[in-house]
């Protein structure tokens, strides 16, 4: 069965520091992988997606993610975090829009 | 371009009451989704429409939940009667066409339901 695990419920980083959010998945075939961000009172916004090809994917707002098939991981990174990045981040996996599975999310707090 | 609109933004009801949520997708988007997001969990798809037809409602608790999209545009999601475990944020999303993942889903702000 397909599933997504985000091991960190809550992460706190200082503004300007680097960030890595972890995502591990279980899927029977080659998955499509996504990262979404949800700011308070807002809907989910797609940061980036991986379908195939280059395993390092660039997204919006300076985020990137790397697909590692051997580790079943798709970790999200940002070299320098801004206060406006404070939000909830969701990893998702699936092959169709009605087949998507979301992780439980990681809440990011940014310290001044 | 206007985004996905949802109303109300917040709703508090007592168990066994009924409630309805409304969603207006992005203009021209043929596909509409309703998700349930329970606190501490990721969104879970309840139902997907393609125009006014249901593509997938396998995770919709049909004994109490219903949804419609009569003219292929706006949609309503209803719960009758509500249970305590229905407390969640209900998200609506839309995409331009089909079930292909190349068509990005755009999410509304959600309706937060509290069942007392």
């Amino acid at each position: 069965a397909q599933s997504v695990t985000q091991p960190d419920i809550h992460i706190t980083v200082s503004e300007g520091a680097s960030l890595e959010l972890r995502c591990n998945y279980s899927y029977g075939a080659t998955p499509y992988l996504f990262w979404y961000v949800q700011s308070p009172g807002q809907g989910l916004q797609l940061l980036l997606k991986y379908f195939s090809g280059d395993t390092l994917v660039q997204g919006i707002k300076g985020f990137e993610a790397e697909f590692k098939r051997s580790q079943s991981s798709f970790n999200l990174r940002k070299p320098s975090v801004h206060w406006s990045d404070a939000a909830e981040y969701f990893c998702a996996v699936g092959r169709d829009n009605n087949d998507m599975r979301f992780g439980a999310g990681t809440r990011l707090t940014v310290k001044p | 371009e206007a985004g996905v609109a949802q109303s109300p933004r917040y709703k508090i009801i007592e168990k066994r009451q009924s409630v309805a949520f409304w969603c207006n997708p992005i203009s021209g988007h043929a596909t509409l989704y309703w998700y349930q997001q329970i606190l501490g969990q990721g969104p879970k798809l309840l139902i997907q429409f393609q125009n006014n037809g249901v593509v997938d409602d396998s995770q919709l608790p049909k004994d109490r939940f219903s949804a419609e999209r009569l003219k292929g545009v706006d949609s309503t999601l209803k719960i009758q009667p509500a249970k305590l475990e229905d407390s969640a944020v209900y998200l609506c999303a839309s995409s331009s066409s089909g079930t292909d993942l190349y068509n990005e889903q755009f999410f509304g702000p959600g309706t937060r339901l509290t069942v007392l």
Side-chain angles (χ1 to χ4, degrees):
Chain A
Q2 60 204 49
S3 64
V4 180
T5 302
Q6 294 182 244
D8 305 304
I9 296 174
H10 184 206
I11 284 182
T12 300
V13 300
S14 297
E15 190 168 15
S18 63
L19 171 70
E20 182 169 26
L21 301 182
R22 297 183 290 164
C23 173
N24 294 97
Y25 67 89
S26 173
Y27 201 81
T30 302
Y32 295 164
L33 295 157
F34 306 82
W35 275 99
Y36 286 85
V37 61
Q38 186 176 35
S39 299
Q42 305 292 319
L44 278 75
Q45 180 183 22
L46 182 66
L47 284 175
L48 47 81
K49 59 184 180 287
Y50 172 79
F51 289 167
S52 64
D54 192 347
T55 56
L56 186 61
V57 180
Q58 302 298 318
I60 62 172
K61 303 185 180 185
F63 286 92
E64 67 177 25
E66 186 172 12
F67 170 56
K68 292 185 177 180
R69 185 187 304 275
S70 61
Q71 298 177 20
S72 297
S73 70
F74 189 56
N75 294 350
L76 182 72
R77 300 194 294 250
K78 187 170 185 177
S80 178
V81 170
H82 188 263
W83 64 266
S84 60
D85 293 324
E88 187 97 19
Y89 291 80
F90 293 92
C91 180
V93 60
R95 292 286 297 189
D96 296 291
N97 277 3
N98 61 347
D99 182 41
M100 288 183 70
R101 295 290 186 270
F102 286 83
T106 297
R107 183 161 63 93
L108 174 65
T109 298
V110 180
K111 293 190 303 183
Chain B
E1 167 180 271
V4 176
Q6 291 187 247
S7 68
R9 293 295 307 276
Y10 305 92
K11 189 72 176 179
I12 301 174
I13 62 173
E14 296 191 349
K15 59 183 179 182
R16 291 187 289 274
Q17 286 186 323
S18 61
V19 64
F21 313 127
W22 173 82
C23 173
N24 180 240
I26 292 173
S27 178
H29 279 191
T31 310
L32 185 146
Y33 315 80
W34 283 102
Y35 288 85
Q36 180 190 57
Q37 186 178 13
I38 294 173
L39 185 64
Q41 300 180 20
K44 182 185 80 171
L45 181 67
L46 292 176
I47 188 168
Q48 177 185 350
F49 291 95
Q50 177 75 10
N51 296 309
N52 60 350
V54 175
V55 173
D56 181 12
D57 63 357
S58 58
Q59 298 195 79
L60 187 74
K62 298 180 186 63
D63 58 334
R64 298 183 298 106
F65 285 65
S66 64
E68 60 183 11
R69 193 184 184 199
L70 291 176
K71 296 183 179 179
V73 181
D74 293 3
S75 177
T76 56
L77 176 69
K78 297 179 182 178
I79 307 175
Q80 181 180 11
K83 294 185 175 181
L84 296 177
E85 59 260 36
D86 298 332
S87 294
V89 175
Y90 291 85
L91 296 167
C92 180
S94 68
S95 64
S96 57
S97 66
T99 60
D100 195 308
L101 276 173
Y102 288 89
N103 300 303
E104 180 182 345
Q105 293 185 43
F106 294 85
F107 286 81
T111 296
R112 182 177 297 276
L113 173 66
T114 301
V115 182
L116 303 176

